[in-house]
mmCIF file of all heavy atoms in Angstrom:
data_model
loop_
_atom_site.group_PDB
_atom_site.id
_atom_site.type_symbol
_atom_site.label_atom_id
_atom_site.label_comp_id
_atom_site.label_asym_id
_atom_site.label_seq_id
_atom_site.Cartn_x
_atom_site.Cartn_y
_atom_site.Cartn_z
ATOM 1 N N SER A 479 -18.569 5.999 -12.126
ATOM 2 C CA SER A 479 -18.917 4.576 -12.279
ATOM 3 C C SER A 479 -20.373 4.390 -12.697
ATOM 4 O O SER A 479 -20.858 3.265 -12.784
ATOM 5 C CB SER A 479 -18.662 3.830 -10.963
ATOM 6 O OG SER A 479 -19.431 4.374 -9.908
ATOM 7 N N ASP A 480 -21.067 5.492 -12.979
ATOM 8 C CA ASP A 480 -22.481 5.457 -13.337
ATOM 9 C C ASP A 480 -22.634 5.210 -14.834
ATOM 10 O O ASP A 480 -22.386 6.095 -15.657
ATOM 11 C CB ASP A 480 -23.145 6.782 -12.941
ATOM 12 C CG ASP A 480 -24.656 6.746 -13.072
ATOM 13 O OD1 ASP A 480 -25.170 5.957 -13.891
ATOM 14 O OD2 ASP A 480 -25.332 7.519 -12.364
ATOM 15 N N LYS A 481 -23.041 4.009 -15.202
ATOM 16 C CA LYS A 481 -23.160 3.641 -16.613
ATOM 17 C C LYS A 481 -24.237 4.460 -17.319
ATOM 18 O O LYS A 481 -24.073 4.857 -18.478
ATOM 19 C CB LYS A 481 -23.457 2.147 -16.732
ATOM 20 C CG LYS A 481 -22.377 1.242 -16.178
ATOM 21 C CD LYS A 481 -22.777 -0.212 -16.291
ATOM 22 C CE LYS A 481 -21.671 -1.130 -15.777
ATOM 23 N NZ LYS A 481 -21.380 -0.927 -14.343
ATOM 24 N N ARG A 482 -25.345 4.734 -16.632
ATOM 25 C CA ARG A 482 -26.415 5.498 -17.269
ATOM 26 C C ARG A 482 -25.978 6.944 -17.510
ATOM 27 O O ARG A 482 -26.255 7.526 -18.558
ATOM 28 C CB ARG A 482 -27.658 5.470 -16.386
ATOM 29 C CG ARG A 482 -28.335 4.111 -16.312
ATOM 30 C CD ARG A 482 -29.553 4.174 -15.417
ATOM 31 N NE ARG A 482 -30.525 5.151 -15.901
ATOM 32 C CZ ARG A 482 -31.588 5.538 -15.201
ATOM 33 N NH1 ARG A 482 -31.799 5.046 -13.981
ATOM 34 N NH2 ARG A 482 -32.428 6.426 -15.705
ATOM 35 N N ALA A 483 -25.276 7.530 -16.542
ATOM 36 C CA ALA A 483 -24.817 8.911 -16.711
ATOM 37 C C ALA A 483 -23.784 9.012 -17.823
ATOM 38 O O ALA A 483 -23.673 10.043 -18.495
ATOM 39 C CB ALA A 483 -24.228 9.430 -15.398
ATOM 40 N N ARG A 484 -23.031 7.951 -18.032
ATOM 41 C CA ARG A 484 -21.997 7.942 -19.071
ATOM 42 C C ARG A 484 -22.593 7.773 -20.461
ATOM 43 O O ARG A 484 -21.956 8.092 -21.478
ATOM 44 C CB ARG A 484 -21.008 6.816 -18.773
ATOM 45 C CG ARG A 484 -19.751 6.818 -19.621
ATOM 46 C CD ARG A 484 -18.919 5.563 -19.391
ATOM 47 N NE ARG A 484 -18.481 5.454 -18.011
ATOM 48 C CZ ARG A 484 -18.693 4.393 -17.241
ATOM 49 N NH1 ARG A 484 -19.356 3.357 -17.722
ATOM 50 N NH2 ARG A 484 -18.265 4.365 -15.997
ATOM 51 N N SER A 485 -23.799 7.266 -20.553
ATOM 52 C CA SER A 485 -24.365 6.877 -21.847
ATOM 53 C C SER A 485 -24.585 8.059 -22.783
ATOM 54 O O SER A 485 -24.537 7.904 -24.004
ATOM 55 C CB SER A 485 -25.685 6.133 -21.638
ATOM 56 O OG SER A 485 -26.652 6.982 -21.026
ATOM 57 N N LEU A 486 -24.850 9.261 -22.254
ATOM 58 C CA LEU A 486 -25.063 10.420 -23.117
ATOM 59 C C LEU A 486 -23.846 10.683 -23.992
ATOM 60 O O LEU A 486 -23.968 10.991 -25.182
ATOM 61 C CB LEU A 486 -25.384 11.661 -22.280
ATOM 62 C CG LEU A 486 -25.563 12.974 -23.064
ATOM 63 C CD1 LEU A 486 -26.763 12.873 -23.995
ATOM 64 C CD2 LEU A 486 -25.711 14.155 -22.110
ATOM 65 N N GLY A 487 -22.654 10.554 -23.417
ATOM 66 C CA GLY A 487 -21.437 10.842 -24.167
ATOM 67 C C GLY A 487 -20.833 9.641 -24.856
ATOM 68 O O GLY A 487 -20.200 9.767 -25.904
ATOM 69 N N PHE A 488 -21.020 8.432 -24.273
ATOM 70 C CA PHE A 488 -20.306 7.263 -24.784
ATOM 71 C C PHE A 488 -21.204 6.068 -25.096
ATOM 72 O O PHE A 488 -20.706 5.024 -25.508
ATOM 73 C CB PHE A 488 -19.249 6.817 -23.761
ATOM 74 C CG PHE A 488 -18.296 7.907 -23.380
ATOM 75 C CD1 PHE A 488 -18.448 8.610 -22.191
ATOM 76 C CD2 PHE A 488 -17.245 8.255 -24.211
ATOM 77 C CE1 PHE A 488 -17.575 9.623 -21.837
ATOM 78 C CE2 PHE A 488 -16.362 9.266 -23.866
ATOM 79 C CZ PHE A 488 -16.534 9.959 -22.675
ATOM 80 N N GLY A 489 -22.520 6.235 -24.896
ATOM 81 C CA GLY A 489 -23.383 5.078 -25.065
ATOM 82 C C GLY A 489 -23.098 4.077 -23.955
ATOM 83 O O GLY A 489 -22.528 4.423 -22.914
ATOM 84 N N PHE A 490 -23.468 2.856 -24.187
ATOM 85 C CA PHE A 490 -23.190 1.814 -23.194
ATOM 86 C C PHE A 490 -22.001 0.985 -23.677
ATOM 87 O O PHE A 490 -22.113 -0.207 -23.981
ATOM 88 C CB PHE A 490 -24.426 0.946 -22.963
ATOM 89 C CG PHE A 490 -25.541 1.693 -22.284
ATOM 90 C CD1 PHE A 490 -26.547 2.294 -23.030
ATOM 91 C CD2 PHE A 490 -25.578 1.830 -20.906
ATOM 92 C CE1 PHE A 490 -27.575 3.006 -22.415
ATOM 93 C CE2 PHE A 490 -26.592 2.536 -20.274
ATOM 94 C CZ PHE A 490 -27.596 3.125 -21.036
ATOM 95 N N ALA A 491 -20.854 1.646 -23.755
ATOM 96 C CA ALA A 491 -19.644 1.006 -24.273
ATOM 97 C C ALA A 491 -19.262 -0.190 -23.415
ATOM 98 O O ALA A 491 -19.174 -0.092 -22.190
ATOM 99 C CB ALA A 491 -18.500 2.007 -24.316
ATOM 100 N N GLU A 492 -19.013 -1.305 -24.061
ATOM 101 C CA GLU A 492 -18.707 -2.541 -23.350
ATOM 102 C C GLU A 492 -17.401 -2.444 -22.579
ATOM 103 O O GLU A 492 -17.229 -3.090 -21.551
ATOM 104 C CB GLU A 492 -18.636 -3.696 -24.360
ATOM 105 C CG GLU A 492 -18.441 -5.067 -23.739
ATOM 106 C CD GLU A 492 -19.593 -5.477 -22.843
ATOM 107 O OE1 GLU A 492 -20.727 -5.013 -23.078
ATOM 108 O OE2 GLU A 492 -19.353 -6.255 -21.897
ATOM 109 N N VAL A 493 -16.475 -1.608 -23.061
ATOM 110 C CA VAL A 493 -15.163 -1.526 -22.415
ATOM 111 C C VAL A 493 -15.273 -1.029 -20.976
ATOM 112 O O VAL A 493 -14.440 -1.349 -20.128
ATOM 113 C CB VAL A 493 -14.223 -0.610 -23.241
ATOM 114 C CG1 VAL A 493 -14.674 0.836 -23.181
ATOM 115 C CG2 VAL A 493 -12.778 -0.748 -22.759
ATOM 116 N N PHE A 494 -16.326 -0.264 -20.667
ATOM 117 C CA PHE A 494 -16.503 0.254 -19.308
ATOM 118 C C PHE A 494 -17.407 -0.629 -18.443
ATOM 119 O O PHE A 494 -17.609 -0.339 -17.272
ATOM 120 C CB PHE A 494 -17.101 1.666 -19.350
ATOM 121 C CG PHE A 494 -16.289 2.656 -20.140
ATOM 122 C CD1 PHE A 494 -16.856 3.362 -21.188
ATOM 123 C CD2 PHE A 494 -14.957 2.881 -19.836
ATOM 124 C CE1 PHE A 494 -16.113 4.283 -21.916
ATOM 125 C CE2 PHE A 494 -14.209 3.792 -20.560
ATOM 126 C CZ PHE A 494 -14.779 4.496 -21.598
ATOM 127 N N ASN A 495 -17.953 -1.669 -19.043
ATOM 128 C CA ASN A 495 -18.927 -2.506 -18.347
ATOM 129 C C ASN A 495 -18.213 -3.645 -17.617
ATOM 130 O O ASN A 495 -18.145 -4.780 -18.091
ATOM 131 C CB ASN A 495 -19.944 -3.053 -19.345
ATOM 132 C CG ASN A 495 -21.083 -3.767 -18.665
ATOM 133 O OD1 ASN A 495 -21.382 -3.520 -17.491
ATOM 134 N ND2 ASN A 495 -21.737 -4.675 -19.390
ATOM 135 N N THR A 496 -17.668 -3.347 -16.441
ATOM 136 C CA THR A 496 -16.911 -4.343 -15.682
ATOM 137 C C THR A 496 -17.809 -5.082 -14.697
ATOM 138 O O THR A 496 -18.855 -4.584 -14.290
ATOM 139 C CB THR A 496 -15.774 -3.669 -14.896
ATOM 140 O OG1 THR A 496 -16.341 -2.716 -13.982
ATOM 141 C CG2 THR A 496 -14.828 -2.946 -15.838
ATOM 142 N N GLU A 497 -17.379 -6.288 -14.326
ATOM 143 C CA GLU A 497 -18.114 -7.076 -13.337
ATOM 144 C C GLU A 497 -17.770 -6.660 -11.912
ATOM 145 O O GLU A 497 -18.351 -7.169 -10.968
ATOM 146 C CB GLU A 497 -17.814 -8.563 -13.535
ATOM 147 C CG GLU A 497 -18.286 -9.103 -14.888
ATOM 148 C CD GLU A 497 -17.959 -10.577 -15.056
ATOM 149 O OE1 GLU A 497 -17.325 -11.140 -14.129
ATOM 150 O OE2 GLU A 497 -18.343 -11.157 -16.089
ATOM 151 N N TYR A 498 -16.833 -5.772 -11.759
ATOM 152 C CA TYR A 498 -16.382 -5.288 -10.454
ATOM 153 C C TYR A 498 -16.486 -3.765 -10.444
ATOM 154 O O TYR A 498 -16.514 -3.127 -11.509
ATOM 155 C CB TYR A 498 -14.933 -5.722 -10.205
ATOM 156 C CG TYR A 498 -14.034 -5.456 -11.393
ATOM 157 C CD1 TYR A 498 -13.418 -4.218 -11.567
ATOM 158 C CD2 TYR A 498 -13.826 -6.436 -12.365
ATOM 159 C CE1 TYR A 498 -12.619 -3.962 -12.674
ATOM 160 C CE2 TYR A 498 -13.030 -6.182 -13.475
ATOM 161 C CZ TYR A 498 -12.436 -4.957 -13.623
ATOM 162 O OH TYR A 498 -11.653 -4.695 -14.720
ATOM 163 N N PRO A 499 -16.570 -3.147 -9.275
ATOM 164 C CA PRO A 499 -16.649 -1.679 -9.218
ATOM 165 C C PRO A 499 -15.378 -1.042 -9.780
ATOM 166 O O PRO A 499 -14.266 -1.395 -9.379
ATOM 167 C CB PRO A 499 -16.793 -1.398 -7.721
ATOM 168 C CG PRO A 499 -17.311 -2.663 -7.132
ATOM 169 C CD PRO A 499 -16.703 -3.766 -7.946
ATOM 170 N N ALA A 500 -15.548 -0.113 -10.711
ATOM 171 C CA ALA A 500 -14.399 0.567 -11.319
ATOM 172 C C ALA A 500 -14.853 1.922 -11.842
ATOM 173 O O ALA A 500 -16.017 2.119 -12.193
ATOM 174 C CB ALA A 500 -13.806 -0.261 -12.452
#
Side-chain angles (χ1 to χ4, degrees):
S479 59
D480 189 334
K481 298 178 178 63
R482 290 180 59 190
R484 190 188 299 126
S485 63
L486 177 64
F488 305 100
F490 292 94
E492 185 63 28
V493 69
F494 303 124
N495 188 23
T496 60
E497 297 179 357
Y498 47 86

